[in-house]
Amino acid sequence: MISTLIDRLRGAGCVFAEDEARILLDAAHEQAAHASRPSPSSDVTDLLDALVARRIGGEPLEQVVGWVQFCDLRLHVAPGVFIPRQRTVLLAERSIRAMEEAGPSARFLEAFCGVGPVATAVARSVPGAEIHLGDHDETALACARKNVGPRAHSHQLACLTGLPQALLPGGFGVISAVPPYVPDAAAEFLPREAIDHEAPTALFGGVDGLDMVRGLIRDSREWLAPGGTVLIELGREQRHAAAECARTWGYNASSTLGDDEQTTVLELR
Ligand SMILES: C[S@@+](CC[C@H](N)C(=O)[O-])C[C@H]1O[C@@H](n2cnc3c(N)ncnc32)[C@H](O)[C@@H]1O
Protein backbone atom coordinates (compact mmCIF):
# COMPACT_ATOMS: atom_id res chain seq x y z
CA MET A 1 0.00 0.00 0.00
CA ILE A 2 2.69 2.50 1.05
CA SER A 3 4.86 2.16 -2.07
CA THR A 4 1.83 2.70 -4.37
CA LEU A 5 0.92 5.73 -2.31
CA ILE A 6 4.45 7.14 -2.55
CA ASP A 7 4.40 6.67 -6.33
CA ARG A 8 1.04 8.47 -6.61
CA LEU A 9 2.25 11.39 -4.53
CA ARG A 10 5.56 11.60 -6.36
CA GLY A 11 3.73 11.49 -9.69
CA ALA A 12 1.64 14.44 -8.51
CA GLY A 13 4.80 16.45 -7.79
CA CYS A 14 5.08 16.00 -4.00
CA VAL A 15 8.80 16.43 -3.25
CA PHE A 16 8.70 14.70 0.14
CA ALA A 17 6.49 11.84 -1.04
CA GLU A 18 7.79 9.27 1.50
CA ASP A 19 7.16 11.57 4.49
CA GLU A 20 3.78 12.67 3.17
CA ALA A 21 2.68 9.09 2.54
CA ARG A 22 3.42 8.17 6.15
CA ILE A 23 1.63 11.25 7.50
CA LEU A 24 -1.43 10.66 5.30
CA LEU A 25 -1.58 7.00 6.29
CA ASP A 26 -1.35 7.90 10.00
CA ALA A 27 -4.09 10.51 9.50
CA ALA A 28 -6.39 7.96 7.86
CA HIS A 29 -5.83 5.54 10.77
CA GLU A 30 -6.45 8.30 13.33
CA GLN A 31 -9.67 9.39 11.60
CA ALA A 32 -10.88 5.79 11.41
CA ALA A 33 -10.14 5.31 15.12
CA HIS A 34 -12.06 8.48 16.00
CA ALA A 35 -15.08 7.74 13.83
CA SER A 36 -17.99 7.63 16.30
CA ARG A 37 -19.32 4.35 14.93
CA PRO A 38 -18.08 2.02 12.23
CA SER A 39 -19.41 2.91 8.79
CA PRO A 40 -18.19 2.42 5.24
CA SER A 41 -16.65 5.92 5.36
CA SER A 42 -14.59 5.02 8.44
CA ASP A 43 -12.76 2.35 6.49
CA VAL A 44 -9.05 3.27 6.40
CA THR A 45 -8.72 2.70 2.67
CA ASP A 46 -11.64 4.99 1.84
CA LEU A 47 -10.42 7.65 4.23
CA LEU A 48 -6.91 7.46 2.81
CA ASP A 49 -8.22 7.74 -0.75
CA ALA A 50 -10.16 10.87 0.18
CA LEU A 51 -7.13 12.46 1.88
CA VAL A 52 -4.80 11.59 -1.02
CA ALA A 53 -7.26 12.98 -3.57
CA ARG A 54 -7.28 16.30 -1.74
CA ARG A 55 -3.48 16.36 -1.54
CA ILE A 56 -3.04 15.46 -5.20
CA GLY A 57 -5.58 18.17 -5.99
CA GLY A 58 -3.09 20.68 -4.58
CA GLU A 59 -4.36 21.28 -1.03
CA PRO A 60 -1.54 21.84 1.49
CA LEU A 61 -0.70 18.69 3.48
CA GLU A 62 -1.37 20.49 6.78
CA GLN A 63 -4.91 21.45 5.78
CA VAL A 64 -5.57 17.90 4.51
CA VAL A 65 -4.50 16.18 7.74
CA GLY A 66 -5.72 19.04 9.97
CA TRP A 67 -2.53 19.82 11.88
CA VAL A 68 0.92 21.39 11.64
CA GLN A 69 3.99 20.84 13.81
CA PHE A 70 5.20 24.09 15.40
CA CYS A 71 8.03 23.90 17.98
CA ASP A 72 6.99 20.88 20.03
CA LEU A 73 3.31 21.64 19.49
CA ARG A 74 0.82 20.01 17.17
CA LEU A 75 -1.51 22.80 16.10
CA HIS A 76 -4.98 22.29 14.69
CA VAL A 77 -5.53 23.93 11.25
CA ALA A 78 -8.72 24.06 9.16
CA PRO A 79 -9.06 24.30 5.38
CA GLY A 80 -8.49 27.85 4.11
CA VAL A 81 -6.67 29.26 7.15
CA PHE A 82 -3.06 30.49 7.18
CA ILE A 83 -0.66 27.65 8.06
CA PRO A 84 1.94 28.73 10.64
CA ARG A 85 5.45 28.87 9.18
CA GLN A 86 8.54 27.51 10.93
CA ARG A 87 10.21 30.93 10.70
CA THR A 88 7.67 32.17 13.29
CA VAL A 89 9.42 30.10 15.99
CA LEU A 90 11.71 33.14 16.39
CA LEU A 91 8.74 35.37 17.29
CA ALA A 92 7.40 32.71 19.68
CA GLU A 93 10.77 32.55 21.49
CA ARG A 94 11.01 36.36 21.75
CA SER A 95 7.41 36.52 22.99
CA ILE A 96 8.02 33.97 25.74
CA ARG A 97 11.08 35.89 26.87
CA ALA A 98 9.19 39.22 26.83
CA MET A 99 6.36 37.69 28.89
CA GLU A 100 8.82 36.28 31.44
CA GLU A 101 10.34 39.77 31.77
CA ALA A 102 6.92 41.43 32.00
CA GLY A 103 5.98 39.46 35.13
CA PRO A 104 3.12 37.22 36.22
CA SER A 105 0.31 39.78 35.93
CA ALA A 106 1.04 40.75 32.32
CA ARG A 107 -1.60 40.02 29.70
CA PHE A 108 -0.52 38.64 26.31
CA LEU A 109 -2.17 39.38 22.95
CA GLU A 110 -1.42 37.61 19.67
CA ALA A 111 -2.90 40.02 17.13
CA PHE A 112 -3.48 38.74 13.55
CA CYS A 113 -3.33 35.38 15.32
CA GLY A 114 -4.50 32.95 12.64
CA VAL A 115 -4.50 29.58 14.42
CA GLY A 116 -2.53 31.14 17.29
CA PRO A 117 0.95 29.57 17.10
CA VAL A 118 2.63 32.26 19.20
CA ALA A 119 -0.17 32.43 21.78
CA THR A 120 -0.13 28.64 22.12
CA ALA A 121 3.64 28.60 22.68
CA VAL A 122 3.34 31.40 25.27
CA ALA A 123 0.42 29.65 27.02
CA ARG A 124 2.48 26.44 27.36
CA SER A 125 5.65 28.20 28.57
CA VAL A 126 4.24 30.92 30.83
CA PRO A 127 1.82 29.28 33.27
CA GLY A 128 -0.92 31.56 34.52
CA ALA A 129 -0.53 34.24 31.83
CA GLU A 130 -3.81 35.65 30.54
CA ILE A 131 -3.86 34.90 26.81
CA HIS A 132 -5.82 36.96 24.24
CA LEU A 133 -6.31 36.21 20.54
CA GLY A 134 -7.37 38.61 17.78
CA ASP A 135 -8.15 38.02 14.11
CA HIS A 136 -10.87 39.00 11.64
CA ASP A 137 -11.34 35.41 10.46
CA GLU A 138 -13.74 33.41 12.66
CA THR A 139 -12.51 30.04 11.30
CA ALA A 140 -8.93 30.89 12.24
CA LEU A 141 -10.06 32.10 15.67
CA ALA A 142 -11.90 28.83 16.28
CA CYS A 143 -8.66 26.92 15.54
CA ALA A 144 -6.70 29.28 17.80
CA ARG A 145 -9.11 28.74 20.70
CA LYS A 146 -8.75 25.00 20.30
CA ASN A 147 -4.94 25.29 20.21
CA VAL A 148 -4.58 27.59 23.22
CA GLY A 149 -7.25 25.85 25.30
CA PRO A 150 -9.45 27.13 28.10
CA ARG A 151 -7.18 30.09 28.95
CA ALA A 152 -7.92 31.75 25.58
CA HIS A 153 -9.92 34.96 25.34
CA SER A 154 -10.72 35.48 21.67
CA HIS A 155 -11.81 38.64 19.87
CA GLN A 156 -12.94 39.18 16.30
CA LEU A 157 -10.99 42.31 15.34
CA ALA A 158 -10.13 44.67 12.52
CA CYS A 159 -6.46 45.18 13.40
CA LEU A 160 -6.99 45.97 17.14
CA THR A 161 -10.42 47.59 16.72
CA GLY A 162 -13.00 45.54 18.60
CA LEU A 163 -10.95 44.79 21.73
CA PRO A 164 -13.14 45.20 24.84
CA GLN A 165 -12.72 48.55 26.58
CA ALA A 166 -12.83 46.61 29.87
CA LEU A 167 -9.18 45.65 29.20
CA LEU A 168 -8.25 49.33 29.64
CA PRO A 169 -6.48 50.75 31.51
CA GLY A 170 -3.68 48.25 31.69
CA GLY A 171 -4.02 46.69 28.29
CA PHE A 172 -1.37 44.17 27.33
CA GLY A 173 2.16 43.70 28.63
CA VAL A 174 3.16 42.05 25.36
CA ILE A 175 1.52 42.29 21.93
CA SER A 176 2.94 39.93 19.28
CA ALA A 177 1.90 39.61 15.66
CA VAL A 178 2.59 38.21 12.24
CA PRO A 179 0.46 40.62 10.20
CA PRO A 180 0.09 39.89 6.49
CA TYR A 181 3.35 41.43 5.19
CA VAL A 182 3.95 40.15 1.67
CA PRO A 183 4.11 43.09 -0.80
CA ASP A 184 1.28 42.81 -3.34
CA ALA A 185 3.71 42.58 -6.24
CA ALA A 186 5.53 39.60 -4.69
CA ALA A 187 2.60 37.22 -5.30
CA GLU A 188 4.52 35.48 -8.09
CA PHE A 189 7.18 34.36 -5.58
CA LEU A 190 4.72 32.60 -3.27
CA PRO A 191 4.07 28.85 -3.58
CA ARG A 192 0.97 27.91 -5.58
CA GLU A 193 -0.46 26.17 -2.49
CA ALA A 194 -0.47 29.44 -0.54
CA ILE A 195 -2.11 31.43 -3.33
CA ASP A 196 -4.80 28.79 -3.90
CA HIS A 197 -5.54 27.73 -0.30
CA GLU A 198 -4.81 30.65 2.04
CA ALA A 199 -6.89 33.86 2.00
CA PRO A 200 -5.24 36.81 0.20
CA THR A 201 -6.01 38.95 3.26
CA ALA A 202 -3.84 36.58 5.34
CA LEU A 203 -0.88 37.08 3.01
CA PHE A 204 -0.70 40.51 1.38
CA GLY A 205 0.00 43.83 3.07
CA GLY A 206 -0.24 46.41 0.28
CA VAL A 207 2.36 47.97 -1.99
CA ASP A 208 5.29 47.68 0.45
CA GLY A 209 3.64 44.94 2.58
CA LEU A 210 3.44 47.23 5.60
CA ASP A 211 -0.17 48.46 5.59
CA MET A 212 -1.21 46.21 8.50
CA VAL A 213 2.14 46.64 10.29
CA ARG A 214 1.60 50.42 10.32
CA GLY A 215 -1.99 49.91 11.53
CA LEU A 216 -0.79 47.68 14.36
CA ILE A 217 1.93 50.13 15.43
CA ARG A 218 -0.66 52.94 15.52
CA ASP A 219 -3.33 50.94 17.39
CA SER A 220 -0.86 49.43 19.86
CA ARG A 221 -0.25 52.88 21.39
CA GLU A 222 -3.70 52.68 22.98
CA TRP A 223 -3.48 49.04 24.07
CA LEU A 224 0.10 48.54 25.28
CA ALA A 225 0.66 48.67 29.04
CA PRO A 226 3.28 51.12 30.36
CA GLY A 227 6.69 49.48 29.94
CA GLY A 228 5.20 46.89 27.58
CA THR A 229 6.63 45.38 24.38
CA VAL A 230 5.31 45.01 20.83
CA LEU A 231 6.89 42.26 18.73
CA ILE A 232 6.22 42.08 14.98
CA GLU A 233 7.49 39.57 12.43
CA LEU A 234 8.33 40.99 9.02
CA GLY A 235 10.87 40.61 6.22
CA ARG A 236 14.43 41.82 6.60
CA GLU A 237 14.14 44.47 3.90
CA GLN A 238 11.05 45.95 5.61
CA ARG A 239 12.60 46.55 9.02
CA HIS A 240 13.94 50.08 8.48
CA ALA A 241 10.63 51.46 7.15
CA ALA A 242 8.69 49.78 9.99
CA ALA A 243 11.14 51.05 12.62
CA GLU A 244 10.86 54.57 11.18
CA CYS A 245 7.06 54.39 11.44
CA ALA A 246 7.36 53.15 15.05
CA ARG A 247 9.60 56.09 16.00
CA THR A 248 6.98 58.55 14.75
CA TRP A 249 4.63 56.92 17.29
CA GLY A 250 7.18 57.39 20.10
CA TYR A 251 8.67 53.89 20.22
CA ASN A 252 12.28 52.81 20.56
CA ALA A 253 12.78 50.13 17.91
CA SER A 254 15.31 47.31 17.58
CA SER A 255 15.28 44.16 15.49
CA THR A 256 16.50 40.56 15.55
CA LEU A 257 17.35 38.63 12.39
CA GLY A 258 16.47 34.93 12.17
CA ASP A 259 18.85 32.13 11.18
CA ASP A 260 17.34 32.20 7.70
CA GLU A 261 18.80 35.74 7.38
CA GLN A 262 15.40 36.91 6.14
CA THR A 263 12.83 36.72 8.94
CA THR A 264 13.03 39.69 11.29
CA VAL A 265 11.36 40.39 14.62
CA LEU A 266 10.89 44.09 15.26
CA GLU A 267 10.82 44.92 18.97
CA LEU A 268 9.13 48.15 20.11
CA ARG A 269 9.24 49.55 23.63
C1 LIG B 1 0.18 36.01 8.05
S1 LIG B 1 -1.25 35.40 8.90
C2 LIG B 1 -0.50 35.05 10.48
C3 LIG B 1 -1.27 34.11 11.34
C4 LIG B 1 -0.52 33.59 12.57
N1 LIG B 1 -0.04 34.64 13.41
C5 LIG B 1 0.63 32.69 12.15
O1 LIG B 1 1.79 33.08 12.24
O2 LIG B 1 0.36 31.55 11.73
C6 LIG B 1 -2.14 36.90 9.15
C7 LIG B 1 -3.48 36.77 9.85
O3 LIG B 1 -4.05 38.10 9.94
C8 LIG B 1 -5.44 38.03 9.75
N2 LIG B 1 -5.87 39.36 9.26
C9 LIG B 1 -5.67 39.90 8.05
N3 LIG B 1 -6.14 41.14 8.00
C10 LIG B 1 -6.66 41.42 9.22
C11 LIG B 1 -7.27 42.55 9.82
N4 LIG B 1 -7.46 43.68 9.14
N5 LIG B 1 -7.66 42.48 11.11
C12 LIG B 1 -7.47 41.35 11.83
N6 LIG B 1 -6.90 40.23 11.32
C13 LIG B 1 -6.49 40.27 10.04
C14 LIG B 1 -5.66 36.89 8.76
O4 LIG B 1 -6.95 36.34 8.90
C15 LIG B 1 -4.54 35.91 9.15
O5 LIG B 1 -5.02 34.94 10.04
Side-chain angles (χ1 to χ4, degrees), residues 82-84 88 110 112-114 117 135-137 140 157-159 178-180 201-202 212:
F82 183 88
I83 300 163
T88 299
E110 182 175 2
F112 300 90
C113 69
D135 201 286
H136 69 175
D137 177 354
L157 304 179
C159 198
V178 184
T201 52
M212 291 298 148

Side-chain angles (χ1 to χ4, degrees), residues 145-171:
R145 283 192 294 272
K146 194 165 170 178
N147 289 324
V148 171
R151 281 160 64 199
H153 302 258
S154 80
H155 314 281
Q156 196 162 20
L157 304 179
C159 198
L160 299 191
T161 301
L163 281 167
Q165 291 293 316
L167 294 171
L168 293 174

Side-chain angles (χ1 to χ4, degrees), residues 90-110 118-132 151 170-176 224-225 227-231 267 269:
L90 176 66
L91 178 66
E93 289 170 352
R94 305 294 302 184
S95 301
I96 290 166
R97 190 186 303 177
M99 278 299 286
E100 286 167 350
E101 287 169 8
S105 61
R107 287 194 196 106
F108 177 79
L109 169 66
E110 182 175 2
V118 179
T120 309
V122 169
R124 299 294 155 83
S125 298
V126 190
E130 192 176 307
I131 306 289
H132 291 256
R151 281 160 64 199
F172 302 95
V174 179
I175 300 174
S176 294
L224 192 67
T229 306
V230 181
L231 296 162
E267 186 162 333
R269 288 177 188 265

